[in-house]
Amino acid sequence: MLAVTRKAKIKEIILEKKNITVLELSKLFSVTEETIRRDFKQLEDEGFLTRTYGGAFIQDGVGNNVDLTIRETAYIENKQNIAHKCRKLINNGDSIFLDSSTTAYQVAKAVKNMRLTVASNSLLIINELCEKDNIHLVALGGMYLPEDKAFCGSITLKNLEQYYFDKVFMSCRSLSMEHGITDSHEPTASIRQSLIKRSQKIYIVADFSKFNNTSFLKISDFAPVTGLITDKPLSREWQDFLSEHNVDAFM
């Protein structure tokens, strides 16, 4: 297969699936992983996709749910920047919830030496904190989703109803001034919809790629949100919008 034909086929696949791994395409086209990485580099230079360590993804589409293996290495320094800002908002003795986002996972790493009660439905976060004597860890069980390494579903939601938190740190798929806070994955969106009602303070953690997009499912408007924590300076329009809705912006 000619390289130009292969890249055209890669475009078709990513437009449909929204994300793909190097290994998957290497097997599909019977070429080396290095060949696929070169294809990804060229397609990124064209502005078509965003590369990560193990694959690539695009932001388009309301049903765009990027696989965890792709999300874990996407914008990792940006997420660490956000986690550092979250750390400043958390006090020893707080009871917090960290959702199953890869940004919340970075927050867990940032606070693991604090004295906290931490609840989460993320297996990554549970594994990160489970041996920390200074952390009172509450693991929400339920239906395990291997693709997200998280627990979701009716049992998780039922478990969540037992708790209230000082602060919730949760992400989303998209943020829009017109359509609010939205998601592309129904089980995850259900958890986040419930979290909105279960804390004194709700913080949305979102890197720059989430803004000015809309996904399939609405989580909430901005009225219940205490603060939005992001990695880059927001436009004046976004700053004014958040101020009008009494949402603190941490940039």
Side-chain angles (χ1 to χ4, degrees), residues 195-230:
L195 285 171
I196 289 285
K197 307 168 188 175
R198 313 217 67 79
S199 179
Q200 296 179 6
K201 295 183 178 180
I202 302 292
Y203 292 101
I204 303 298
V205 293
D207 65 64
F208 72 95
S209 69
K210 314 274 181 149
F211 288 83
N212 302 316
N213 291 305
T214 301
S215 293
F216 187 59
L217 296 157
K218 184 164 184 174
I219 297 172
S220 173
D221 56 27
F222 286 88
V225 177
T226 306
L228 191 154
I229 307 161
T230 189

Side-chain angles (χ1 to χ4, degrees), residues 6-76:
R6 186 179 60 249
K7 283 190 289 184
K9 185 63 178 176
I10 289 172
K11 282 186 174 183
E12 289 180 17
I13 292 169
I14 295 185
L15 281 171
E16 178 180 351
K17 296 184 65 176
K18 311 305 180 188
N19 62 102
I20 195 75
T21 66
V22 170
L23 181 60
E24 286 177 277
L25 290 179
S26 174
K27 290 179 177 178
L28 178 63
F29 295 117
S30 300
V31 297
T32 65
E33 292 185 17
E34 185 57 36
T35 297
I36 298 300
R37 290 191 183 94
R38 284 197 297 269
D39 290 342
F40 281 173
K41 175 65 167 63
Q42 292 171 10
L43 291 171
E44 185 177 54
D45 290 344
E46 294 172 15
F48 178 76
L49 54 73
T50 299
R51 288 185 299 156
T52 67
Y53 177 75
F57 67 96
I58 58 173
Q59 295 291 134
D60 297 343
V62 296
N64 187 341
N65 185 44
V66 179
D67 189 87
L68 180 69
T69 57
I70 303 293
R71 288 187 283 121
E72 277 187 286
T73 56
Y75 310 128
I76 190 163

Side-chain angles (χ1 to χ4, degrees), residues 157-175:
L157 289 169
K158 190 68 174 177
N159 288 340
L160 190 54
E161 289 177 2
Q162 302 177 66
Y163 301 104
Y164 290 92
F165 308 100
D166 295 312
K167 295 158 189 172
V168 161
F169 295 85
M170 69 181 201
S171 191
C172 60
R173 189 71 187 92
S174 305
L175 292 164

